[in-house]
Amino acid sequence: MAVSGPLGTFRLPPLPTIREIIRLFKLQAVKQLSQNFLLDLRLTDKIVRKAGSLTNAYVYEVGPGPGGITRSILNAGIAELLVVEKDSRFIPGLQMLSDAAPGKLRIVHGDVLTFKIERAFPESLKRQWEDDPPNVHIIGNLPFSVSTPLIIKWLENVSHRNGPFAYGRTQMTLTFQKEVAERLIASKGSKQRSRLSIMAQYLCDVQHVLTIPGRAFVPKPEVDVGVVHFTPLTQPKIEQPFKLVEKVVQNAFQFRRKYCYRGLGMLFPEAQRMERTGKLLESADVDPTLRPTQLSVSHFQSLCDVYRKMCDEDPHLFAYNFREELRHTSEKRERDDGESLQ
Ligand code: SAM
């Protein structure tokens, strides 16, 4: 039976420990799926506190596994928790938690990469983008191989204000390999500054809120883990389509140790590369000899704005891909060499 706390807030009743749940339901971690579990509920409470106040919140937990973080969320005064777990072995253990928290926990056996959260919570939770964030939160400790592509997908959703951001500026508290957490928050000039830093920071306020040593997980991963909190900005720092920003940023960081003009030049076909890269940098007022790691978000804003104008003037430009040009050139060279030998 569920238990009420001193202020009438919900608390889970005494339950078997996570270690006992793992034993009971034979939930050995599958190494190939990078399953690393948190068994210490003080630690999962700490992670959940980093999400901010969850009073009456609607929470979407991704990858609950044996349910450590799930228990901490259920004890945080929430209205409803929806969990999406891919591995069916965890469903009976989660069902036990659901029985202990009547009406609070919804379990979906599915994949976070395809699950449509925008239809899962009441419409009444929706807020205007410019308002305070809605009382909807995403929390998760996913395998690193899923969390990085997922954050890129969710950043794109932030830019379109759809998916989990159909409710407004939904906040996210997610774990990453510590190195990735450092890249997400890296400021201009730092060694970790990368594509992820710009893509995250132009759309969100990003905070590295906690580091968890690898030894806190079972089995222990090779690396420490960073917990990162994201709040979408009311006004993105770059007002261009996500795919365009991604293209400029990706090209800029192509050669991270070289001057930025080298990577940015790859936005243009070889025949006009020098001239058009010069025009891009001059119009954006960016020093060509800065390294990509020294570029600020506002440098990227100017670069994206100028590149957008260049794409509007030349409709073929955005589709240009220097790798394809390289491949065609080398195929042509091989054909020409073959012909000259005949
Ligand atoms: N949250 C639990 C914890 O902290 O102990 C488990 C963490 S474990 C690193 C990651 C969990 O995410 C596993 O339960 C795994 O089965 C699940 N998972 C992996 N990929 C998933 C996906 N695409 N969709 C939903 N769940 C996924």
Side-chain angles (χ1 to χ4, degrees):
M1 217 183 85
V3 174
S4 278
L7 297 172
T9 50
F10 172 85
R11 299 289 301 174
L12 282 166
L15 289 166
T17 64
I18 300 288
R19 198 179 287 280
E20 284 163 349
I21 293 281
I22 289 176
R23 224 177 287 131
L24 188 65
F25 293 104
K26 299 191 173 52
L27 303 177
Q28 278 74 17
V30 180
K31 212 167 171 206
Q32 294 91 310
L33 296 180
S34 311
Q35 290 177 336
N36 309 99
F37 306 135
L38 285 166
L39 310 190
D40 178 351
L41 294 183
R42 278 167 311 179
L43 191 54
T44 55
D45 282 350
K46 201 166 171 184
I47 295 173
V48 169
R49 276 199 298 274
K50 296 296 177 190
S53 166
L54 295 183
T55 308
N56 297 325
Y58 285 72
V59 183
Y60 174 32
E61 188 196 351
V62 289
I69 296 179
T70 318
R71 291 185 188 204
S72 297
I73 299 171
L74 287 169
N75 279 332
I78 54 137
E80 187 182 311
L81 169 60
L82 187 150
V83 297
V84 175
E85 172 55 61
K86 194 174 177 180
D87 185 338
S88 61
R89 295 176 309 143
F90 294 109
I91 305 298
L94 293 167
Q95 192 53 54
M96 206 179 90
L97 274 184
S98 174
D99 295 342
K104 295 236 172 240
L105 177 58
R106 248 200 295 168
I107 304 161
V108 174
H109 176 212
D111 190 326
V112 299
L113 292 165
T114 49
F115 183 71
K116 298 227 176 309
I117 187 69
E118 56 271 43
R119 300 202 202 116
F121 293 143
E123 282 276 309
S124 58
L125 291 169
K126 291 192 173 170
R127 293 282 167 275
Q128 292 295 320
W129 193 260
E130 293 70 23
D131 287 352
D132 285 343
N135 208 358
V136 178
H137 293 255
I138 299 177
I139 301 180
N141 172 30
L142 278 168
F144 304 137
S145 57
V146 180
S147 54
T148 307
L150 190 61
I151 193 62
I152 290 289
K153 176 179 147 80
W154 278 342
L155 288 171
E156 184 163 9
N157 288 146
V158 171
S159 79
H160 296 304
R161 303 181 184 183
N162 62 13
F165 310 95
Y167 298 100
R169 295 184 297 119
T170 300
Q171 299 176 71
M172 304 182 272
T173 310
L174 302 168
T175 59
F176 296 90
Q177 199 171 327
K178 186 164 165 256
E179 209 178 275
V180 176
E182 284 167 356
R183 272 190 238 147
L184 283 161
I185 57 138
S187 50
K188 186 182 81 162
S190 93
K191 224 172 64 203
Q192 286 85 2
R193 184 80 155 174
S194 65
R195 173 178 77 105
L196 266 184
S197 329
I198 309 298
M199 297 310 290
Q201 294 168 28
Y202 96 84
L203 289 162
C204 294
D205 173 61
V206 194
Q207 306 285 338
H208 183 175
V209 287
L210 187 66
T211 300
I212 311 173
R215 68 182 133 75
F217 294 83
V218 178
K220 176 179 171 302
E222 301 284 298
V223 291
D224 290 343
V225 169
V227 181
V228 181
H229 184 78
F230 302 78
T231 311
L233 298 169
T234 45
Q235 188 81 22
K237 291 185 179 162
I238 303 175
E239 300 209 59
Q240 292 297 348
F242 184 86
K243 291 287 182 210
L244 184 142
V245 180
E246 196 175 38
K247 187 165 188 191
V248 172
V249 174
Q250 228 159 24
N251 277 272
F253 280 98
Q254 195 96 236
F255 308 110
R256 25 181 317 115
R257 287 167 205 278
K258 305 253 178 357
Y259 293 142
C260 68
Y261 77 85
R262 283 291 306 278
L264 288 165
M266 297 304 176
L267 289 167
F268 306 107
E270 199 180 353
Q272 315 125 21
R273 188 163 290 153
M274 283 260 281
E275 180 208 330
R276 297 182 93 182
T277 313
K279 183 179 164 205
L280 169 71
L281 287 155
E282 196 186 327
S283 309
D285 196 18
V286 172
D287 175 352
T289 65
L290 288 173
R291 314 273 169 188
T293 51
Q294 294 171 310
L295 297 175
S296 64
V297 174
S298 86
H299 281 135
F300 276 105
Q301 177 197 25
S302 316
L303 288 166
C304 291
D305 288 348
V306 176
Y307 178 64
R308 169 67 188 267
K309 264 198 210 120
M310 295 169 97
C311 289
D312 288 346
E313 282 160 20
D314 171 358
H316 302 295
L317 183 56
F318 187 67
Y320 170 72
N321 179 322
F322 80 92
R323 288 184 205 283
E324 266 172 41
E325 185 177 24
L326 272 178
R327 191 165 50 80
H328 286 150
T329 315
S330 72
E331 279 171 7
K332 183 172 180 302
R333 197 173 301 128
E334 271 170 33
R335 264 198 318 273
D336 290 351
D337 288 352
E339 275 164 21
S340 67
L341 286 174
Q342 281 168 10

